[in-house]
Amino acid sequence: MPRAKKAVKWFGRYIVSDPEICHGSPTFYGTRILVADVLDQVAEGQPWEAIADEWRGAIKVAAIAEAVRIATQAFADHAEEYTAA
């Protein structure tokens, strides 16, 4: 019997988790660019326009903004899980 295909999860307009792409890690739709990699660049203080340029336009500044908004909300929702011991 064939296995059931796992569903693609959308986190917004630009961010998707597809079990068949990058082991289901969140990526920007239509790419294999990991959201976590771009958020690391944001955390390093790189300008968003420079990040988009570095990825050769495969992601837009609006996609980076969406990733930051989602990460902010995730942290707000789960901050107690990340407190220092």
Side-chain angles (χ1 to χ4, degrees), residues 4 15 18 22 33 35 37 43 55 59 66 71-72 74 78 81 83-84:
I15 299 172
D18 184 336
C22 298
I33 301 170
V35 172
D37 289 344
W55 291 105
I59 58 172
E66 181 176 270
T72 300
H78 301 279
E81 297 171 32
T83 56

Side-chain angles (χ1 to χ4, degrees), residues 43-82:
E44 291 169 359
Q46 294 183 31
W48 294 6
E49 293 82 7
I51 295 169
D53 289 345
E54 184 174 327
W55 291 105
R56 299 184 182 134
I59 58 172
K60 299 177 181 184
V61 170
I64 298 169
E66 181 176 270
V68 169
R69 278 193 304 275
I70 291 169
T72 300
Q73 186 62 52
F75 181 75
D77 291 346
H78 301 279
E80 68 279 353
E81 297 171 32
Y82 299 103

Side-chain angles (χ1 to χ4, degrees), residues 3-27:
R3 278 193 260 169
K5 188 173 181 178
K6 292 185 180 179
V8 173
K9 295 178 187 174
W10 286 88
F11 295 94
R13 181 175 178 194
Y14 301 100
I15 299 172
V16 64
S17 174
D18 184 336
E20 296 186 14
I21 298 174
C22 298
H23 305 286
S25 294
T27 59

